[in-house]
Amino acid sequence: MENREFYNTIFKRKSVRSYVNEPLSGEKIDEIKSFARSLKPLYPDIQTELKIISGEDVKSLIPQKKAPHYIAVFSENQEGYLTNIGFMLQQMDLYLSANGIGSCWQGIPKPSKEVLKTSRLEFVILIAFGNPKEELHRRISQFKRNSLTDITDMEGMDELLEPVRIAPSATNSQPWYFTGNNGLIHCYCKKLNFLKAKLLAKWNKIDMGIAIYHLTVSARHHKKSVEIIQDQDGEANPPKGYYYIASVIIN
Ligand SMILES: Cc1cc2nc3c(=O)[nH]c(=O)nc-3n(C[C@H](O)[C@H](O)[C@H](O)COP(=O)(O)O)c2cc1C
């Protein structure tokens, strides 16, 4: 998919939680599998595996409406692996939305034991998908998000950061903060108290990968090249209440 389509989709995508109770065609599933093979990692050395499973192979303690299909995401457990998964699978979230298919990140349910046994990697998260039984898209005014001044102290970067501001995150927690300048942006994640951390810490690292992916799409839209690095200064100087994730060089 072209960067332009990803960019436009960012401004209308939403989580879809209600699905038509019928599987997608085999042809559609094959297209999704083929796109899954083309996902760009943030950290290419981390091994990942995606499996498409049916709603019957998903278990949840909280009763939830099932989707006809889920992507079960597995990864090697290495430094940065959750952010890598957020970065990779947000490409899938945008691809599905751009192609008329509803989807939703699903942190709570888990695949069945039988599915878990089929991978030697660690299970990370599910993404539900299927034909939507509700609106697939929303208008920009319908996004419920913090303002740009809540997520950055940088000036003159509104256009670049708007697609990042409206990125999805677990429980809409929007844990991100960005500092730096138009050549180098440092990305930080909110520190949590013990109780919140039990629920959200893992997901928030995925959220950061999602936001960094939106930042790369936005930078490319503005005809800039992007490189994601670990920067010593950025790492040593987090804003109060945040910890360091990565930095983005924008040229
Ligand atoms: C890592 C992650 C985990 C999520 N887990 C769930 C979940 O278990 N159940 C659910 O209904 N939504 C889940 N969501 C969706 C968020 O609630 C949703 O993205 C957020 O409220 C923003 O809404 P939007 O996606 O419609 O823009 C998750 C999102 C992310 C990024």
Side-chain angles (χ1 to χ4, degrees):
M1 211 169 86
E2 300 266 329
N3 192 70
R4 184 166 46 86
E5 272 181 85
F6 279 121
Y7 184 80
N8 292 335
T9 304
I10 284 174
F11 294 92
K12 56 187 181 184
R13 65 145 300 286
K14 72 185 214 353
S15 293
V16 168
R17 297 188 176 85
S18 185
Y19 298 93
V20 176
N21 191 13
E22 269 172 28
L24 297 176
S25 69
E27 197 184 334
K28 271 261 146 58
I29 295 289
D30 285 345
E31 282 167 22
I32 293 166
K33 281 185 181 161
S34 158
F35 181 73
R37 286 191 287 275
S38 77
L39 298 181
K40 309 273 179 303
L42 183 59
Y43 304 122
D45 291 344
I46 303 180
Q47 231 193 309
T48 56
E49 190 177 7
L50 308 185
K51 290 175 187 283
I52 295 189
I53 60 175
S54 82
E56 281 149 36
D57 286 323
V58 170
K59 311 279 163 236
S60 181
L61 289 176
I62 299 168
Q64 276 189 320
K65 278 192 222 157
K66 286 271 177 80
H69 308 282
Y70 290 78
I71 300 170
V73 184
F74 298 83
S75 175
E76 243 179 316
N77 181 335
Q78 273 194 32
E79 177 88 39
Y81 78 111
L82 296 168
T83 306
N84 187 50
I85 290 301
F87 186 90
M88 286 177 76
L89 271 298
Q90 186 56 16
Q91 297 163 47
M92 181 59 87
D93 175 81
L94 294 172
Y95 169 87
L96 293 169
S97 185
N99 284 286
I101 301 168
S103 71
C104 184
W105 287 88
Q106 293 279 305
I108 293 172
K110 305 267 175 285
S112 66
K113 280 193 189 122
E114 291 71 38
V115 172
L116 291 175
K117 272 193 271 181
T118 62
S119 181
R120 50 176 197 81
L121 303 178
E122 180 181 309
F123 166 70
V124 179
I125 197 155
L126 290 167
I127 293 187
F129 69 95
N131 278 326
K133 210 173 151 185
E134 62 177 57
E135 290 294 319
L136 175 66
H137 292 145
R138 63 158 72 99
R139 289 188 301 280
I140 189 74
S141 60
Q142 292 172 309
F143 279 85
K144 295 193 176 79
R145 297 294 192 269
N146 296 331
S147 65
L148 277 170
T149 50
D150 293 321
I151 65 163
T152 189
D153 58 359
M154 291 186 287
E155 301 209 342
M157 308 278 273
D158 293 9
E159 263 196 65
L160 184 75
L161 288 180
E162 180 62 7
V164 185
R165 185 184 76 82
I166 60 175
S169 55
T171 67
N172 207 18
S173 51
Q174 308 163 70
W176 37 69
Y177 197 83
F178 305 92
T179 67
N181 55 56
N182 58 7
L184 179 64
I185 298 180
H186 304 305
C187 311
Y188 299 96
C189 185
K190 200 177 199 138
K191 283 186 186 164
L192 299 168
N193 66 33
F194 176 75
L195 274 181
K196 277 197 173 169
K198 265 182 99 98
L199 181 72
L200 276 178
K202 174 180 172 186
W203 294 339
N204 277 174
K205 290 187 177 130
I206 298 178
D207 300 336
M208 291 304 298
I210 295 173
I212 293 171
Y213 184 67
H214 278 208
L215 180 55
T216 66
V217 172
S218 180
R220 286 187 193 120
H221 172 81
H222 291 95
K223 305 275 179 281
K224 308 270 189 195
S225 69
V226 189
E227 190 190 343
I228 292 144
I229 58 159
Q230 296 296 306
D231 178 82
Q232 280 187 350
D233 270 0
E235 195 156 8
N237 297 295
K240 194 163 181 281
Y242 289 85
Y243 63 94
Y244 179 75
I245 298 288
S247 302
V248 184
I249 301 177
I250 297 183
N251 264 310

